[in-house]
Structures are given as C-alpha cells and as structure tokens.
Amino acid sequence: MTKLFSLLLVISFLSLFSSAATSSSSRPPPKFLGSAFARSKPNRNSPPPYRYETRYFRQNLDHFSFAPLPQFTQRYLVGSSDKWSRNGPIFFYCGNEGDIDWFAANTGFVWEIAPKFSALVIFAEHRYYGESMPYGSQERAYKDAKSMSYFTTEQALADFTVLLTDLKQNLSSEESPVVLFGGSYAGMLAAWMRLKYPHVAIGALASSAPILQFEDIVPPETFYDIVSNDFRRESLSCFEAIKKSWDALDRLGKVHDGLTSLSRKFRLCHKLNNTQQLSDWLSSAYSYLAMVNYPFPSGFMMPLPAYPIKEVCKRIDNDPNGNDLLDRIFAGASIYYNYTGNVSCFDLDDDPHGLSGWDWQACTEMVMPMSSSRENSMFQPYDFDYTAYKEQCVQSYNVTPRPRWMTTEFGGHQV
C-alpha cells in the first residue's frame, strides 16, 4: 500500500508533460500517467466492499472571495456509525484525483482500523472529480481556464475543512478528534491540511505523499529510476528488452504502413497517429505495475495477479509465440491491460477512473519535474524542459504554470 501511494499519483498519479530529447530529433512531450486503459469500464453496479452512505454537501465555489458565485454539490461517503459515539474519533480521507468511491473501495487500511478506535470514517471527494463538479457537469466545469480557475489545492482543502466543521456541528460532536488520511496526492492534501488548518485535525497519516517532488528538491530522475529498478530486480533481460523496445517501435512506425502494423500488433481500437501514443500507453503500464506490484491479486487499477511485474517479465522473457521483441512486449503489457482476457481491443483515450482533471492541475500548481536517464532508466531518455512544458500548457489550457507555487504555499525548501 505504501509503495502504491508513493508512486501513484508522483501521480500519481505526476508530471504529465515533459520534454523528450534525443540526439537526432526532438520528441513531442510524453505523458507520464495518462488515461491509457483497456476498453473496459469499472463495474459500478457491484456492491462496495465496505459499508457507507453517500451524502452531498453544498460548497462555495470560491472560499476566498465574497463574489456572488454559484455553489456546487460535493459528494462524501460516511461509514457505519454502529461503534461510533458522539465526540468519538473521526477518520477523514482527503479525496484524490478521481471518483471517491473508487478510492474508498481500495483503502482497506482505514476501514479495517476504524473499529479498533470506534472511529467514524469519512471519505470526501475532491472538487472537479467524480460527482463533485462545479457548474453541474464535467463538460461545463472543464470548459475553459475561467471555469477551471477554482480547481486548486487551496480550494479543495477549504472544501474539506468546511465540510468537516459542518459535519461535526450537525453530529453534535465538536469535540471529536480528527485524523486525516490520504495516499499520494491525497496524502499531500492530508499533510498540507494539517499544516494549514492545525486546529481542525490532531494529525495526518500521509502515506507516501510526494510533497518534495517539486523544483530543485529531489532529482527529477527519481521516479523512473525507481520503476526501472523494480523491473531490473525481477529480470535484467526483461529490463533490457523494454529498454530496447522504444527504438524498435520508432523503426517500425517509420516504414510504409508501419503505424497500421503496430495498431494491429497491439490490438488497438483505433489506428495510431504516431508511435509516441503507443510509447505513452506502454510507459503508463510499466509505471502503474510498479505501483501495484502487490504480493496478492488485486483490482485497484486493473485486475492483476500477485507480483504482476514477475508475470510481465515472464511473458517478455519466455513468450511462446516467438522471439519478435514487440510481440513479447505486447504479451507483457497484456498482463496489465488484459489479464482477464476479456478485452477485445485497447482504447488509448479511455479514462474509466475519471483522472483527466489532473492534466489541469499539472499545468497550474502541481508542476513536478520528471526526467528519464539514459544510464539507469528503461524508459525513453529525456530531460525535463520547462519551456516545452509551459508551451504545452498554454496550448492545452491557455495558462502558464506556477512551478514554485506549491513550495511557496506549503513549504518544502530548507530556509
């Protein structure tokens, strides 16, 4: 669990735009954790593994002005109160960059320890994700930079604080001690909320929260080196095969009908426009696999076996269908994208968990520099280029990132 949150969302799901530099040409900025999933949707009809009630709360769109702006409805989940008594402890989970029911279903630690403390469990959804959409719909909320201008960590923390304060008043439990929980981005929020609103919570369990993954604090190669080491430890030949595959993809993509051939080889639902799309898809799989390399079967990101990296490398090292490198790479990636064998084709633009809002966050506040080293990484080598990053954000959202804002707001650099 800790390892998942550490890598996720560095999210983590965390630099969505980077500049890839090669000796011969410059690549378009690759996405890190993009919305590359198989064409299979989460089963929203299956009962949640934990008991909770879904509730809604009216929030101010802007907590820091008095302008007459419309309110919006924030979703939150309330666990069973069978063992909770008035003024008993409250375990409050700060929502991540996705549907809150998805995170509630996959954060068993909070649910499992709550009865031991007779605690009430609350999962609050982050604004602009899931059902907590300002202006009534995702289409209207994500319309442009103006409609998304209230999509900030400061506003989200204020949402959590207002919701929690109101809830305690309604429950006549103003004296209830509150412990904040979160992993990855939600862990960052939990830590920052404890710093920003120390009178609201007595503590925060910020599981692997990358609060130092910002400019000039940690080496930008850190994330991809960690992921690469997971594969190297499992199998050096697997690591080397993945490292060689990027050039093989580019070579095939440049020949006549090469993109068509790649689209067929990787069973894509739509023909590729360029090889970078496929590289992003594969990079996402390897990154997510490192996040969910549990010693038991799981279904957080995708249905996966125990130790999925071991299974991926088995396919890449010992594919029975032949020795073609890209065939072996596809066999390995299929462990992540199609372990059940039920997927007929792969949609590179699918976003079953509602993570697309992170692109905006990465283009405004959450600027987390990422690079991939030629020596230690199995990924395509590239260096973070803020100029290219900024240009991509201006093109996508007509906004200029603020790479130092998070450390200005919450700290991080030693003074």
Side-chain angles (χ1 to χ4, degrees):
M1 182 66 71
T2 299
K3 184 175 182 180
L4 162 67
F5 287 140
S6 177
L7 295 174
L8 182 62
L9 294 258
V10 174
I11 232 314
S12 98
F13 285 96
L14 279 153
S15 174
L16 289 174
F17 305 100
S18 304
S19 175
T22 65
S23 59
S24 59
S25 63
S26 113
R27 301 178 183 275
K31 288 188 177 180
F32 168 45
L33 299 184
S35 54
F37 291 88
R39 175 167 280 182
S40 60
K41 298 291 190 291
N43 185 0
R44 301 298 186 189
N45 297 320
S46 61
Y50 306 104
R51 291 174 53 202
Y52 58 76
E53 177 186 350
T54 301
R55 299 182 186 178
Y56 299 88
F57 181 74
R58 296 295 292 174
Q59 285 282 8
N60 289 328
L61 184 59
D62 185 359
H63 293 285
F64 307 109
S65 79
F66 295 92
L69 297 170
Q71 292 185 315
F72 74 97
T73 302
Q74 180 184 22
R75 178 171 55 160
Y76 67 103
L77 314 177
V78 181
S80 171
S81 59
D82 292 348
K83 295 186 177 181
W84 183 76
S85 59
R86 188 168 65 87
N87 291 324
I90 295 176
F91 289 175
F92 187 92
Y93 187 94
C94 303
N96 297 59
E97 66 282 26
D99 291 345
I100 193 60
D101 53 2
W102 178 43
F103 290 102
N106 289 280
T107 311
F109 175 74
V110 176
W111 297 104
E112 290 163 10
I113 67 170
K116 298 178 181 179
F117 294 89
S118 299
L120 180 66
V121 174
I122 307 292
F123 276 74
E125 192 161 65
H126 194 298
R127 60 169 54 200
Y128 286 85
Y129 288 111
E131 296 182 11
S132 301
M133 288 291 169
Y135 306 106
S137 70
Q138 179 173 318
E139 182 180 5
R140 294 176 64 188
Y142 287 17
K143 180 181 178 182
D144 52 33
K146 182 178 180 181
S147 64
M148 299 181 79
S149 62
Y150 307 101
F151 192 175
T152 68
T153 55
E154 296 91 340
Q155 298 284 4
L157 293 180
D159 288 341
F160 297 153
T161 302
V162 171
L163 169 62
L164 186 52
T165 302
D166 185 86
L167 185 64
K168 290 174 69 175
Q169 290 175 347
N170 288 337
L171 294 173
S172 299
S173 61
E174 287 89 344
E175 301 302 318
S176 287
V178 176
V179 179
L180 307 171
F181 289 83
S184 188
Y185 173 53
M188 300 168 84
L189 294 173
W192 289 335
M193 184 171 170
R194 170 65 178 142
L195 289 171
K196 203 74 173 176
Y197 301 97
H199 57 288
V200 172
I202 63 171
L205 196 162
S207 178
S208 301
I211 58 174
L212 300 181
Q213 187 65 41
F214 292 102
E215 186 179 58
D216 298 328
I217 301 181
V218 299
E221 302 86 5
T222 300
F223 176 81
Y224 285 117
D225 283 355
I226 291 173
V227 174
S228 298
N229 283 336
D230 280 356
F231 283 81
R232 192 201 305 264
R233 282 196 301 267
E234 185 58 47
S235 165
L236 181 59
S237 60
C238 177
F239 170 93
E240 293 292 349
I242 294 171
K243 193 178 180 80
K244 294 175 182 176
S245 68
W246 312 114
D247 287 339
L249 286 174
D250 286 343
R251 285 195 301 270
L252 182 53
K254 291 176 181 177
V255 304
H256 179 66
D257 286 338
L259 293 178
T260 298
S261 178
L262 283 172
S263 301
R264 291 172 179 168
K265 184 182 288 288
F266 285 85
R267 287 172 47 189
L268 305 182
C269 300
H270 308 289
K271 181 182 174 181
L272 288 168
N273 295 317
N274 53 67
T275 55
Q276 192 63 45
Q277 291 177 296
L278 186 54
S279 296
D280 292 343
W281 186 73
L282 291 168
S283 295
S284 293
Y286 302 141
S287 299
Y288 282 127
L289 281 161
M291 300 174 196
V292 293
N293 194 33
Y294 301 135
F296 47 80
S298 66
F300 178 47
M301 301 302 299
M302 292 288 191
L304 291 171
Y307 297 108
I309 288 180
K310 180 187 293 291
E311 299 305 317
V312 168
C313 284
K314 282 182 181 177
R315 291 282 188 93
I316 291 177
D317 289 340
N318 305 298
D319 180 41
N321 295 323
N323 294 320
D324 178 79
L325 175 60
L326 295 184
D327 286 340
R328 292 189 286 127
I329 291 297
F330 173 70
S334 294
I335 291 291
Y336 178 74
Y337 286 116
N338 192 22
Y339 181 65
T340 62
N342 296 327
V343 179
S344 59
C345 69
F346 302 101
D347 186 348
L348 305 191
D349 296 320
D350 201 9
D351 183 21
H353 300 300
L355 306 177
S356 62
W358 185 259
D359 290 11
W360 164 267
Q361 293 189 263
C363 268
T364 50
E365 303 176 314
M366 305 299 290
V367 181
M368 295 178 155
M370 297 275 182
S371 296
S372 177
S373 66
R374 187 175 298 276
E375 296 78 17
N376 301 318
S377 173
M378 68 182 190
F379 294 88
Q380 293 169 295
Y382 64 89
D383 296 316
F384 180 77
D385 182 341
Y386 175 71
T387 299
Y389 186 103
K390 180 176 70 173
E391 290 174 355
Q392 179 71 59
C393 292
V394 171
Q395 179 182 349
S396 298
Y397 296 106
N398 196 30
V399 295
T400 300
R402 298 178 182 176
R404 298 180 180 88
W405 178 242
M406 287 292 93
T407 52
T408 299
E409 177 75 0
F410 300 112
H413 289 279
Q414 293 184 352
V415 180

